[in-house]
Amino acid sequence: MTDLNLSSSAAAERDALLRDQIAYNLRSPFYRRRFAELGVDPTKVRTVADLDELPVFLRPQEHRILQERSLQADGHAFGDFLCADVRDVVSVSSTSGTTGTPILYASTKADVALTNETWERAFRFIGMRPGDGAIVGFGLSMYLAGVPLVRALEAAGMRTVAVGAESGTVKLLRLIDIMRPRVLACTPSYAEHLIERAPEVLGRSAADLGIEILLCAGEPGAGLPAVRRKLSEGWGGAQVHDILGGIHGVINVSCDANEYQGMHVLSPDYAVTTQLVDPTTKERIEVTDGAIGERVKTALRWEAAPPFRYSVGDIYQVFTEPCACGFDTERIKVIGRVDDLLIVKGVKVYPSAIKDVAASFVPELSGELRIVLDQPPPRVVPPLCVTIESGADTPPSRYEELAGSFASAMHQRLSIRPKVTVVEAGTLPRASHKVQLLEVKAPRAGF
């Protein structure tokens, strides 16, 4: 994320890569236009440190607009910051589209090679080896953890079973039973769901299936102590790793230390650089231990549509003190997304923080929840309404007590007191893809 651990020669090499990338970016109409609009002379951006003085160039909502415009004007939906010839685009992946139109990510052959290399760093870090069996339970429908992950696993020499979440729980569990892979890759909530369904589908527990490594991404969970413990125990002592990134050279992955200390930043120094900015003012935030800010990324080696001062809307906390595992890199923890921020009577809270509180109530509560809103965030007319599932062995007679305890815990930890409804275990829908914690309903009467 920063140049703190780089040698002078490595830092100089990064600066040279940045200058070359900027010159390359200027072949696109968007970057020529954007530099002019912001009054920035691209020739004056000489070092990675200079990026801290620049405004944000692009955000997801603007990216979607560029996609729509280029579809009409140029016959493709990659925006006019596509720098490569569209004929050189060999792969397209996308976001899930849960917060709007899916954002498309184009890759050339060189970009695919860099993505494979980036993922392989994570594989090696968590102890995966060539020849390991790996079954992919993420959605394969263009998601960043779908086909790109499958491709990277194969390139790294893993025996890859690309069943995908679309195949359904029964088929996925049966293939795990048949193939006995060492690695399972899926969202943490789906990994929990597979634990619940394994006895019914296979006649034995998930703990008996030989999974040693859980590669989790896509939603909060694998970074929450109670959820990590539940997943590890449910899969027979498997290591649980939280992973974020996989494109543009960005990759972050948690270690297997007993105490979760964020995800280690493993991005190649020569591929990408990221900075923190204030979510409101977009001013630079100095990277110190515990600093919180919005992440902005800049590619140093990307051909298709290179991100430059691009904010995907993630809010990070950065840790620079040594990790218990002994690996000496910065670490990050995802606090939430700019778009998911809730403001209740002036108090700012992210859904992931509520999920964290819920995880501390496992097994009395399952940890599955939905935050029910009358209108889109951030403003919430009190009370904040939370529906949460009971634990499988929790009798209905305890629902009211647990609702009160959960509300009190939120008040103590997050300074808001919600209206809590506890429902029977299994009531809330499970998703093989990313679970949306926010549900926007019709306004309550009187508002």
Side-chain angles (χ1 to χ4, degrees):
M1 180 176 290
T2 69
D3 293 330
L4 296 178
N5 297 320
L6 291 181
S7 66
S8 58
S9 60
E13 181 182 353
R14 291 186 89 194
D15 292 340
L17 287 169
L18 174 63
R19 293 191 292 271
D20 289 345
Q21 184 75 63
I22 291 173
Y24 176 82
N25 291 356
L26 290 173
R27 66 172 61 189
S28 77
F30 169 79
Y31 281 119
R32 293 196 299 271
R33 182 173 70 248
R34 195 67 171 138
F35 272 102
E37 290 171 348
L38 295 173
V40 176
D41 182 350
T43 65
K44 298 295 178 62
V45 185
R46 307 294 296 169
T47 69
V48 169
D50 292 338
L51 295 173
D52 281 322
E53 308 306 318
L54 302 183
V56 173
F57 271 54
L58 190 58
R59 300 177 181 86
Q61 56 268 38
E62 296 156 346
H63 190 157
R64 294 186 181 97
I65 293 172
L66 294 178
Q67 288 183 173
E68 294 171 3
R69 289 178 179 171
S70 67
L71 183 60
Q72 298 299 321
D74 305 315
H76 65 74
F78 304 125
D80 65 350
F81 70 110
L82 180 70
C83 294
D85 190 309
V86 70
R87 292 172 295 185
D88 291 328
V89 173
V90 300
S91 177
V92 182
S93 52
S94 80
T95 62
S96 63
T98 52
T99 58
T101 303
I103 289 176
L104 303 179
Y105 295 107
S107 299
T108 65
K109 185 177 180 180
D111 298 335
V112 168
L114 177 58
T115 298
N116 290 346
E117 177 189 344
T118 299
W119 272 109
E120 188 174 1
R121 284 175 168 246
F123 303 153
R124 291 199 306 267
F125 182 78
I126 64 178
M128 294 171 60
R129 306 178 294 268
D132 281 348
I135 194 160
V136 178
F138 288 112
L140 300 181
S141 300
M142 294 180 66
Y143 299 127
L144 294 174
V147 171
L149 173 58
V150 171
R151 190 168 51 213
L153 286 165
E154 293 175 343
M158 309 299 167
R159 187 172 61 257
T160 308
V161 183
V163 57
E166 298 90 342
S167 297
T169 300
V170 172
K171 183 173 183 179
L172 181 55
L173 281 168
R174 287 177 176 167
L175 278 171
I176 293 174
D177 192 27
I178 293 169
M179 300 298 298
R180 294 302 173 97
R182 183 169 180 247
V183 181
L184 169 61
C186 64
T187 65
S189 60
Y190 199 34
E192 288 187 69
H193 181 56
L194 293 172
I195 293 171
E196 295 170 359
R197 292 292 307 280
E200 170 194 347
V201 174
L202 302 177
R204 57 175 166 271
S205 73
D208 298 329
L209 298 178
I211 295 295
E212 297 179 20
I213 295 174
L214 285 174
L215 188 157
C216 294
E219 62 189 22
L224 305 178
V227 175
R228 290 182 76 209
R229 185 165 54 251
K230 180 180 179 181
L231 290 174
S232 181
E233 292 174 355
W235 287 98
Q239 300 174 21
V240 180
H241 296 279
D242 201 12
I243 292 185
L244 177 72
I247 195 167
H248 300 136
V250 175
I251 197 72
N252 312 277
V253 58
S254 65
C255 61
D256 196 39
N258 290 333
E259 181 181 351
Y260 181 82
Q261 301 180 75
M263 291 175 277
H264 288 268
V265 178
L266 302 180
S267 303
D269 295 328
Y270 50 79
V272 69
T273 179
T274 63
Q275 291 83 35
L276 291 182
V277 300
D278 184 279
T280 303
T281 67
K282 308 305 178 186
E283 295 294 322
R284 171 181 177 264
I285 291 178
E286 184 178 356
V287 176
T288 57
D289 192 59
I292 295 176
E294 180 180 349
R295 182 192 66 155
V296 177
K297 67 179 176 180
T298 295
L300 303 176
R301 249 185 62 191
W302 197 261
E303 289 186 345
F308 182 86
R309 292 293 286 171
Y310 187 118
S311 172
V312 296
D314 290 330
I315 304 295
Y316 281 3
Q317 184 172 21
V318 179
F319 304 98
T320 59
E321 293 298 313
C323 178
C325 75
F327 199 73
D328 185 22
T329 65
E330 287 180 13
R331 303 178 308 284
I332 59 102
K333 179 181 178 181
V334 178
I335 303 298
R337 290 188 57 79
V338 173
D339 294 342
D340 288 343
L341 174 65
L342 303 174
I343 303 176
V344 187
K345 297 178 70 173
V347 177
K348 296 179 179 180
V349 63
Y350 288 97
S352 58
I354 300 175
K355 177 76 171 177
D356 198 2
V357 176
S360 68
F361 279 81
V362 175
E364 286 82 6
L365 298 173
S366 74
E368 292 292 328
L369 64 86
R370 298 295 184 273
I371 301 163
V372 184
L373 306 177
D374 296 331
Q375 60 188 24
R379 301 292 175 184
V380 176
V381 177
L384 178 68
C385 295
V386 179
T387 300
I388 187 167
E389 275 188 0
S390 71
D393 299 323
T394 302
S397 60
R398 293 198 59 206
Y399 288 5
E400 185 174 350
E401 167 208 339
L402 287 168
S405 297
F406 183 70
S408 296
M410 279 191 58
H411 184 255
Q412 181 179 13
R413 293 170 58 175
L414 304 178
S415 300
I416 60 174
R417 187 177 292 279
K419 177 183 177 182
V420 180
T421 302
V422 177
V423 297
E424 185 179 357
T427 299
L428 297 177
R430 301 302 198 263
S432 54
H433 308 313
K434 184 185 300 185
V435 171
Q436 282 295 98
L437 299 180
L438 298 180
E439 290 185 358
V440 181
K441 302 293 187 182
R444 295 192 291 267
F447 293 95

